[in-house]
Amino acid sequence: MIELDGASLTLEHLVAIAYDGGKVALADAARQRVRAARAVVDRFAQRDEPTYGINTGFGNFAEVRIPPDSLETLQVNLLRSHAAGVGDPLPVPVVRATMALRANVLAKGFSGIRLETLERLIDLLNRGVHPRVPSRGSVGASGDLAPLAHLALVLIGEGEVWAGGAGGAGGAGGAGEAGDRGREALRRAGLEPIRLGPKEGLALINGTQPSTALLGLAVAGAERLARAADIAAALSIDGLQGSSRPFDRRIHDARGFPGQSVSAGNLTELLAGSGINAAHANCGRVQDAYSMRCAAQVHGSARDAFAFARRAFDIEANAATDNPMVFADTDEIVSGGNFHGAPVALASDVLCLGLVQLATISERRSERLVNPALSGLPAFLTRHGGLQSGLMMVQVTAAALASELKTLAHPAGADTIPTSANKEDHVSMSMSAGLKAARALELARAVIAVEFLCACQAIDLLAPLRTSPALARAHDFIRTRVPALDADRSTSRDLAVITELIAAGEIERACATKVN
């Protein structure tokens, strides 16, 4: 059980909730803060003067006063009107992460939501009631309004829910199938729809949580991919009979970038004890190509980009993103702009750039492996060239994916477009940035999978020379799932299997050597 207190939700918690069906509970201190803030909202709702989000319209209608007998209708209409999303739905893990993040933000006690409404959101998460949330329709302005509105509709018995319950939470991208309307889904889960009080609709949709969920899960995947990329690079360097000297710790300490030093350390440890390396110690080659010699510098820059993105996630996951904000200690409700997704957009864009770095240098190593003029190995890593094409096309696949990744490197956060009658005249595009990061991670994994396939084949062709103990364990593990290419076959399934092994972290575990 993961306790939500509004201040200590970690990325590791989020991954457990998203992918493993982890359950959450509300901290006692959070309950007190939520009650105190709600008392402020209830007092303001009884007053005649207009207070944004409580007795006024929204956005450009902020100056329109709403009578007391229409305050519940105001909140319901807000959810209905803002549920205007389109496109493919968010995968169930992203929805679960979004629900947990929103509940954690509400637990901070700045939103003015009722305790029973927050607890009902937690009930949905714990009982596997997953709203069906279209992925497009947010510009990250007043938060991710459309996605959160689709999510919140289920609380009042409307909207749509994925079929399959909590079982849909598993897998990297599983989304289940379209299922019941909200009311029926609540009934099957033993829950009743809530009735919204003043400000509650706004409290449920003002925030960056869908964007932040995409960012957080992409960060977790990117960090794992960085470790896999170091293993793939080490296998390629050994397969290409490259040198381990460029990873001498002194070189990297002299520059000072932390990610670079970590990658260099990994490569040194992974290549230690290689029989292949020892066999070409006196080959006379002075320097390796950049894709080999500069692997630590490039992988390290990606790691530093991921570290920047993680810091942004850590802050935003426990940040108050509501508007207006309720300050119970001074009995005030103050309008501001914490819903603006600029920090999330920038972090997601930087994450994409890091993924592009990992993928493009990986593709170059794959090309060297299949190119006999550069590798010293049989062309396209087959002993029967001409009759067989070997791994010719997997490098083409890597090239195609790397080129698509380059198109994703353009920052979504560089764009802005006015909305809501120019009231929202600068927007963040954080949702677009998050979706882009998720797609970039998927493509980059597949590029690294190509390198693993090529590098393992190169190691096979260098037998009876043996790679290092750590790399041999990784190679042998992959061979339990993907056999060596002795005759041409479709490699599509091979790549899918290796991609899944990367996503699950199984290759790094197989090394039995700590990869940082």
Side-chain angles (χ1 to χ4, degrees):
M1 187 68 72
I2 296 165
E3 191 172 71
L4 301 181
D5 60 8
S8 56
L9 184 67
T10 68
L11 183 55
E12 289 69 28
H13 289 149
L14 198 72
V15 168
I17 293 165
Y19 294 118
D20 302 328
K23 291 182 167 51
V24 305
L26 196 60
D28 288 340
R31 294 175 186 276
Q32 297 174 16
R33 291 194 299 270
V34 170
R35 289 193 183 99
R38 184 63 202 178
V40 175
V41 170
D42 287 340
R43 286 194 291 273
F44 271 74
Q46 301 302 314
R47 299 178 182 177
D48 291 331
E49 61 266 28
T51 304
Y52 181 76
I54 295 179
N55 55 12
T56 71
F58 307 103
N60 200 48
F61 292 127
E63 311 304 323
V64 178
R65 178 76 162 82
I66 308 300
D69 60 358
S70 297
L71 295 185
E72 179 182 351
T73 302
L74 172 69
Q75 301 299 319
V76 171
N77 285 346
L78 176 68
L79 299 189
R80 289 172 176 167
S81 64
H82 283 51
V86 299
D88 294 335
L90 295 173
V92 166
V94 177
V95 174
R96 289 184 60 81
T98 300
M99 296 167 78
L101 287 166
R102 192 64 203 150
N104 190 56
V105 170
L106 294 173
K108 292 187 75 68
F110 292 110
S111 70
I113 202 163
R114 290 178 301 152
L115 181 60
E116 52 265 43
T117 302
L118 173 53
E119 289 178 329
R120 185 57 45 83
L121 176 59
I122 291 173
D123 288 338
L124 294 189
L125 180 61
N126 287 341
R127 300 190 191 190
V129 180
H130 303 133
R132 192 174 186 274
V133 180
S135 58
R136 266 71 183 179
S138 173
V139 295
S142 291
D144 297 316
L145 297 173
L148 286 170
H150 282 278
L151 191 153
L153 277 176
V154 176
L155 289 168
I156 64 172
E158 300 183 16
E160 295 184 19
V161 175
W162 285 117
E177 298 177 354
D180 300 318
R181 301 287 294 178
R183 185 174 295 274
E184 175 59 21
L186 291 176
R187 185 193 64 77
R188 288 193 300 106
L191 300 170
E192 291 290 329
I194 61 168
R195 296 188 63 176
L196 296 175
K199 196 184 180 295
E200 288 202 291
L202 189 60
L204 289 167
I205 70 171
N206 240 178
T208 64
Q209 285 66 55
S211 299
T212 306
L214 287 163
L215 170 64
L217 298 184
V219 167
E223 290 176 346
R224 178 166 284 178
L225 184 62
R227 297 190 291 272
D230 283 350
I231 300 169
L235 276 168
S236 293
I237 289 165
D238 227 17
L240 290 165
Q241 300 180 76
S243 174
S244 61
R245 293 282 289 170
F247 312 120
D248 186 311
R249 177 177 178 175
R250 294 169 297 178
I251 295 172
H252 305 281
D253 286 350
R255 195 174 197 187
F257 285 106
Q260 178 178 327
S261 294
V262 170
S263 277
N266 285 339
L267 291 164
T268 297
E269 290 295 319
L270 289 164
L271 288 163
S274 168
I276 296 173
N277 188 269
H280 63 79
N282 299 309
C283 66
R285 185 190 298 173
V286 177
Q287 287 188 331
D288 291 327
Y290 283 9
S291 60
M292 303 157 68
R293 180 168 28 122
C294 301
Q297 285 82 356
V298 176
H299 288 202
S301 68
R303 286 171 171 271
D304 290 340
F306 303 158
F308 171 82
R310 180 186 261 263
R311 285 194 296 274
F313 168 81
D314 288 343
I315 294 170
E316 191 72 354
N318 296 286
T321 59
D322 299 272
N323 181 58
M325 290 180 63
V326 180
F327 296 97
D329 55 342
T330 58
D331 198 41
E332 291 181 280
I333 297 179
V334 183
S335 288
N338 275 0
F339 48 65
H340 198 288
V344 180
L346 182 59
S348 295
D349 285 333
V350 169
L351 184 75
C352 276
L353 290 171
L355 289 166
V356 170
Q357 291 291 307
L358 285 184
T360 52
I361 196 170
S362 171
E363 183 276 328
R364 288 292 81 199
R365 289 190 295 263
S366 295
E367 200 281 330
R368 297 190 77 82
L369 285 162
V370 302
N371 186 337
L374 302 174
S375 69
L377 297 166
F380 305 110
L381 302 173
T382 176
R383 297 188 189 277
H384 309 288
L387 177 62
Q388 296 181 10
S389 295
L391 295 178
M392 180 187 297
M393 285 308 297
V394 296
Q395 185 272 325
V396 175
T397 295
L401 297 176
S403 291
E404 184 176 347
L405 268 162
K406 294 170 192 174
T407 69
L408 297 176
H410 179 78
D415 187 27
T416 181
I417 185 168
T419 60
S420 193
N422 219 38
K423 174 73 78 171
E424 299 162 1
D425 58 351
H426 185 280
V427 302
S428 73
M429 305 308 296
S430 59
M431 192 71 182
S432 296
L435 291 166
K436 192 159 60 69
R439 176 63 177 157
L441 175 61
E442 177 185 347
L443 295 175
R445 276 195 192 120
V447 174
I448 303 297
V450 169
E451 184 178 3
F452 270 117
L453 188 63
C454 293
C456 285
Q457 187 75 4
I459 297 298
D460 293 330
L461 291 171
L462 289 171
L465 295 176
R466 186 79 167 156
T467 187
S468 71
L471 293 177
R473 288 189 290 268
H475 167 274
D476 294 348
F477 172 70
I478 291 172
R479 283 288 173 254
T480 66
R481 306 294 184 88
V482 177
L485 191 71
D486 297 323
D488 279 351
R489 64 171 183 262
S490 171
T491 52
S492 180
R493 179 185 175 279
D494 298 340
L495 294 175
V497 169
I498 296 174
T499 299
E500 182 53 38
L501 295 178
I502 294 170
E506 293 191 43
I507 297 175
E508 63 183 90
R509 286 193 290 272
C511 284
T513 295
K514 183 168 178 55
V515 182
N516 294 305

